[in-house]
Every structure is written in C-alpha cells, then in structure tokens.
C-alpha cells in the first residue's frame, strides 16, 4: 500500500521559501541542510508529519492550483490566530473568487505565491 510522505512545491527563491515554511510549520531542513535547488523540510525534533520538499521552479504560480496544502487549525479562534501569524510571516490573503457562502477555510499565498488554506475543522 502506498502512503504520502512528501509534498513537493515549486519555488523561485529557495531562501525565502525555506524561511517562511520553517517558521510557518515549525519544520527544519532534513539533515540540517537547505540547498539552493532542493530542500526537504521535516517536523522538528523527529516529530511525525508529511515532509514538504521545495524545488526551484520557473513555472508560474497557478491562480487556481489543482493541488494545494490544507493546514488544519484546532478551532475557529485558532484559525484566526494562525491566519494572522502566517500573514505576519509573509503570507498574503488571497481574494478568492471561489469561496462558498459560509467557508470553513481561508485562502492564503506564501511569499512565492503558492496558494494554501487554513481550515477550521469545527466549522
């Protein structure tokens, strides 16, 4: 049986992407190394979780990506706090034209423009 262990995201500026995602997720570069062309981020302290690999790419960011990350908060208050924390780290709110009437998610973009969502699972 297969399992997902790594999600790969294209980035234009590796240093900026590593800085954002390590702070956003509390991850660290695997084996302590961040390369200029490819870096795998893993949970700090040997924790469990899907790795995030950053790969230098010249492909433009998609306005409506076919694949994106969903990051889960604990509840509504935690979602609001996490959105503000991520924005303070360099994420931007996305004026998402596909929001449903009463969304349980907030769409953000990392400093590279990659879209991701912060989910309120109690909504």
């Amino acid at each position: 049986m297969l399992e997902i262990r790594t999600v790969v995201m294209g980035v234009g500026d590796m240093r900026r992407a590593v800085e954002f995602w390590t702070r956003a997720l509390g991850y660290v570069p695997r084996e302590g190394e961040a390369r200029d062309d490819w870096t795998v981020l893993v949970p700090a302290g040997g924790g469990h979780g899907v790795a995030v690999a950053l790969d230098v790419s010249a492909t433009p960011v998609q306005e409506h990506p076919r694949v994106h990350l969903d990051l889960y908060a604990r509840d509504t208050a935690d979602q609001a706090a996490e959105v503000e924390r991520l924005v303070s780290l360099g994420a931007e709110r996305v004026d998402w034209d596909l929001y449903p009437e009463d969304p349980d998610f907030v769409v953000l973009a990392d400093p590279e423009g990659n879209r991701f969502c912060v989910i309120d699972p109690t909504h």
Side-chain angles (χ1 to χ4, degrees):
M1 186 58 124
L2 298 173
E3 62 183 60
I4 296 172
R5 292 212 182 164
T6 306
V7 174
V8 181
M9 293 189 339
V11 301
D13 182 331
M14 183 63 71
R15 282 197 174 101
R16 179 172 65 179
V18 167
E19 181 180 339
F20 176 79
W21 286 108
T22 56
R23 293 173 65 199
L25 299 175
Y27 277 31
V28 295
R30 183 172 62 195
E31 300 169 6
E33 181 182 353
R35 295 182 8 207
D36 291 336
D37 61 341
W38 173 261
T39 300
V40 179
L41 304 176
V42 295
H48 298 289
V50 173
V52 175
L54 305 172
D55 184 23
V56 171
S57 173
T59 304
V61 174
Q62 295 175 327
E63 185 176 338
H64 295 103
R66 295 180 69 164
V67 177
H68 65 273
L69 298 179
D70 279 352
L71 307 178
Y72 280 74
R74 287 185 300 270
D75 54 33
T76 305
D78 189 45
Q79 178 192 42
E82 285 297 330
V83 166
E84 292 309 314
R85 182 181 73 84
L86 293 164
V87 167
S88 77
L89 295 177
E92 292 185 12
R93 294 175 186 272
V94 173
D95 186 16
W96 193 246
D97 59 344
L98 301 176
Y99 274 122
E101 186 69 31
D102 186 26
D104 63 347
F105 63 95
V106 175
V107 180
L108 299 176
D110 72 5
E112 294 290 310
N114 293 306
R115 305 303 208 271
F116 64 97
C117 296
V118 179
I119 310 295
D120 170 8
T122 65
H123 181 78

